Amino acid sequence: MKNSYKAHRDRRRALLASMREHSGGGLALIPTAPEVPRNRDSLFPYRPDSYSYYLSGFPEPEAVLALVADADGDREILFCREKNEEREIWDGFRYGPDAAREIFGFDEAHPLTELDAKLADLAADRPALFTPLGLFEPWDRRIIQLLNEVRARVRTGVSAPDEVVDVRGMLDAMRLVKDAQEASLMRRAGAISSSAHRRAMARTRPGWFEYQVEAELVHEFLQQGAQAVAYPSIVASGPNACVLHYRDNNREMSAGELLLIDAGCEYQGYASDITRTFPVSGRFEGRQKDVYELVLASQLACLDAVKPGAEFHDYHKAAERVLAQGYLDLGLLKGTLDEALESGSYKQFYMHRAGHWLGMDVHDAGLYQVKGASQKLAPGMVLTVEPGTYIRPADNVPEAFWNIGVRIEDDVLVTAGGHENLTAATPKTVADVEAACQR
Ligand code: GLY
Ligand code: MN
Ligand code: MN
């Protein structure tokens, strides 16, 4: 087995242990994502499903993992495409079962074409079947078909699994706490995205279109070995910064405006997610600086609240307090802090949460609340810290603030002693941002 896939085997073993604990054993079946047509005979670039990739590291489509937790011992099986010289000439390399077993560390590997013939035997006499339910519709139908097939053999003395468990719950809990290999991939993803943001700051100029900045980001992602964007890049200038999920990226930028960029690469299956806001001309002007300093203060307050034992919700509350007080100080709101927090009046300018879990998916797996109580932060969890302020033109807002949109977002790994900021190399103070914008 290749060394880098030992972590995946450890994850499979951890899942097998959870299956025993849950139901005394059983069969887990984990399919990967289907290929998705883009138009006519073109496909979207392939991305394996996160659950499958988490457990195998196997990058090809048309693969199914089967994990058996049995009294006789465990079996880790991969079903995948066979070698095929003709298809490999047209579409590229395939591992095939033999190499896949060897490299990815499975006990057995078989051609996917044998899955149907082997599935009913694998599922017979198991107390439980663990599989994602509701993730891929054709797979759900196949699982029902499998259960009926095993049930139809009842007169031969076998029984069908009594229980079908949506395995995503167990896997989500595992994925919430990153292992050392995941942390190191996420560190790299953060570093690459950081240099992409620095490149954008250094190259953006008045008269450019937003998509030209997007091109600079993608340039750096791919130059440094990332495979893709983790999500569509948001390159939002002027009033577009107040559109939270702006995606058009086609506006011409002018001096005197701010540019908000929310962009991150995906590196070996792991996302990064950085937002920075900087002046198109390189210098903050007028009220832009006041709003920027306020969002920065709130982001630093949030970061202080990220440590083991703290509640996930703590840093969201920190953001709301600092921002609401700032809006009062800037004259954007009237009354007292308690009134603003109580009434939610601050939501006119700050209407999202302060962050989310980050991992293989940009909004990653894992519960935020457990039985009504906030999830407690623990070493290995990774989250984003991303307060913002978005001031749309309105009668109750002085014109000097109109169309200012600022978000500052970092990716943070919770450690035993507090946290590690995986995107700390992205300029953030006014002085550092302005210096990074000099060209
Ligand atoms: N870029 C997606 C998010 O910040 O949640
Ligand atoms: Mn983001
Ligand atoms: Mn985010």
Side-chain angles (χ1 to χ4, degrees), residues 262 273 356 362-363 384 386 409:
D262 184 345
D273 182 7
H356 49 85
V362 67
H363 295 165
T384 66
E386 50 175 310
E409 175 173 29

Side-chain angles (χ1 to χ4, degrees), residues 54 230 237 249 283 364:
Y54 176 75
S237 64
N249 295 357
R283 293 252 174 259
D364 203 36

Side-chain angles (χ1 to χ4, degrees), residues 60-345:
E60 294 180 14
E62 300 187 272
V64 175
L65 314 184
L67 305 178
V68 182
D70 187 80
D72 295 340
D74 295 341
R75 284 162 73 198
E76 302 174 24
I77 309 166
L78 176 70
F79 291 88
C80 64
R81 302 184 302 194
E82 287 183 271
K83 296 291 288 174
N84 179 329
E85 196 179 341
E86 168 78 4
R87 289 312 331 151
E88 292 187 53
I89 287 170
W90 286 89
D91 296 328
F93 174 79
R94 299 173 171 202
Y95 283 96
D98 290 341
R101 187 192 62 246
E102 187 65 27
I103 292 169
F104 295 89
F106 284 89
D107 300 317
E108 301 167 34
H110 306 286
L112 188 67
T113 46
E114 292 178 16
L115 182 67
D116 282 339
K118 290 196 157 55
L119 216 43
D121 281 341
L122 280 170
D125 290 328
R126 306 286 173 210
L129 176 61
F130 299 83
T131 197
L133 295 171
L135 186 60
F136 305 118
E137 238 178 47
W139 181 256
D140 293 345
R141 286 197 293 276
R142 191 158 191 184
I143 290 297
I144 305 280
Q145 192 188 325
L146 168 65
L147 291 170
N148 283 338
E149 212 179 304
V150 183
R151 209 162 271 283
R153 293 187 186 180
V154 69
R155 273 174 289 144
T156 68
V158 299
S159 61
D162 271 338
E163 207 185 354
V164 181
V165 180
D166 187 346
V167 73
R168 288 181 297 177
M170 289 173 177
L171 290 173
D172 286 351
M174 288 169 62
R175 285 174 53 189
L176 178 55
V177 179
K178 275 66 181 170
D179 61 33
Q181 188 193 55
E182 295 184 287
S184 105
L185 293 174
M186 293 193 74
R187 217 169 265 126
R188 180 79 190 122
I192 294 173
S193 295
S194 235
S195 43
H197 278 260
R198 290 196 303 271
R199 183 180 177 93
M201 288 177 190
R203 298 178 75 93
T204 295
R205 62 207 63 220
W208 268 29
F209 284 82
E210 292 162 344
Y211 52 74
Q212 293 178 276
V213 184
E214 183 179 4
E216 297 294 340
L217 297 163
V218 171
H219 170 97
E220 196 71 16
F221 292 162
L222 298 189
Q223 272 290 335
Q224 294 211 32
Q227 289 71 38
V229 289
Y231 54 92
S233 302
I234 297 171
V235 183
S237 64
N240 293 337
C242 296
V243 180
L244 296 179
H245 291 162
Y246 176 71
R247 273 184 290 262
D248 290 343
N249 295 357
N250 59 4
R251 180 176 176 277
E252 186 176 357
M253 299 176 284
S254 303
E257 294 174 345
L258 291 180
L259 178 63
L260 181 156
I261 298 179
D262 184 345
C265 69
E266 180 176 291
Y267 180 73
Q268 295 188 18
Y270 286 84
S272 50
D273 182 7
I274 302 180
T275 308
R276 286 296 185 268
T277 309
F278 61 89
V280 169
S281 60
R283 293 252 174 259
F284 286 96
E285 288 175 15
R287 289 302 199 177
Q288 293 171 350
K289 192 166 171 180
D290 297 332
V291 174
Y292 188 89
E293 293 280 24
L294 171 60
V295 174
L296 180 58
S298 74
Q299 209 248 6
L300 297 175
C302 288
L303 286 170
D304 275 347
V306 175
K307 52 194 163 198
E311 295 195 348
F312 177 79
H313 294 314
D314 287 350
Y315 79 99
H316 302 264
K317 291 186 195 135
E320 286 160 5
R321 285 192 85 75
V322 175
L323 290 172
Q325 183 59 56
Y327 302 151
L328 292 165
D329 296 343
L330 290 172
L332 290 166
L333 291 181
K334 294 191 171 53
T336 65
L337 177 60
D338 285 344
E339 283 163 3
L341 292 171
E342 176 74 18
S343 69
S345 59

